Amino acid sequence: MFYTYILLTVLAAPTAVPPVDRPSLEIRAERMEVNQKTGKVSFTGDVKAQRGKLLFRCGHLEALYKDGKLLTMTASQDIRVKSTDFEAQARQANFDQTKGILILTGRPKLIRGKSMIQGKRIRIWIDDEKVIVSYMSMGRWMD
């Protein structure tokens, strides 16, 4: 199986805040389509994105760039997120690189050990290891 491979160094940060060293982002997929005019890059087929400790998998991912820097990513199709501390699942996801926030929607679940929580929207601050679950619909906490 042929995989398209791209390695992107993402160091985007808001201009009002001093630059933050962010881990590089490595994306692999079966197919990649680039539109230089719009700055949009589409990845399809067994998409795997690695950013530091975070592994992100999905069927389709669209990234938006400006001046060679990643701004946002939008994902769909069987989203699975894995980190050293947690795992998550969702139907849709949006990642804002400038804020370092991953937003999961579409029956998102967050799993940590034997504990699981589900809500309408789960926001994960990747670099700060902070999570907010909105409209929690189900939770199970176990030691």
Side-chain angles (χ1 to χ4, degrees):
M1 185 177 290
F2 176 75
Y3 282 91
T4 302
Y5 174 79
I6 187 167
L7 177 64
L8 306 164
T9 304
V10 288
L11 299 171
T15 54
V17 177
V20 175
D21 285 336
R22 300 205 189 271
S24 63
L25 176 68
E26 180 181 303
I27 301 174
R28 294 177 188 233
E30 293 174 3
R31 177 181 162 90
M32 178 182 78
E33 184 177 322
V34 179
N35 185 323
Q36 296 285 1
K37 192 173 188 177
T38 64
K40 185 169 134 183
V41 182
S42 296
F43 301 91
T44 53
D46 195 24
V47 181
K48 295 175 188 151
Q50 180 89 37
R51 182 182 184 269
K53 300 176 192 175
L54 190 75
L55 175 62
F56 186 90
R57 299 179 76 149
C58 63
H60 182 78
L61 178 73
E62 288 192 1
L64 184 61
Y65 291 85
K66 185 173 182 181
D67 299 325
K69 294 181 182 174
L70 176 66
L71 299 176
T72 61
M73 293 190 307
T74 303
S76 59
Q77 300 176 5
D78 193 28
I79 297 162
R80 306 237 183 252
V81 181
K82 188 171 185 173
S83 183
T84 53
D85 298 330
F86 69 89
E87 293 182 31
Q89 301 170 3
R91 292 184 181 152
Q92 296 91 28
N94 292 298
F95 179 67
D96 184 324
Q97 171 64 15
T98 58
K99 296 177 183 175
I101 300 174
L102 175 63
I103 300 172
L104 304 172
T105 57
R107 297 185 50 87
K109 279 187 215 177
L110 184 69
I111 303 158
R112 186 174 182 170
K114 295 180 182 178
S115 299
M116 187 274 298
I117 193 164
Q118 186 172 342
K120 187 173 182 178
R121 179 176 63 187
I122 297 175
R123 291 182 288 172
I124 303 169
W125 280 259
I126 303 299
D127 300 318
D128 299 330
E129 299 180 11
K130 174 182 168 183
V131 175
I132 295 179
V133 179
S134 300
Y135 304 103
M136 188 180 96
S137 60
M138 186 169 82
R140 175 182 73 228
W141 290 266
M142 303 179 90
D143 292 331

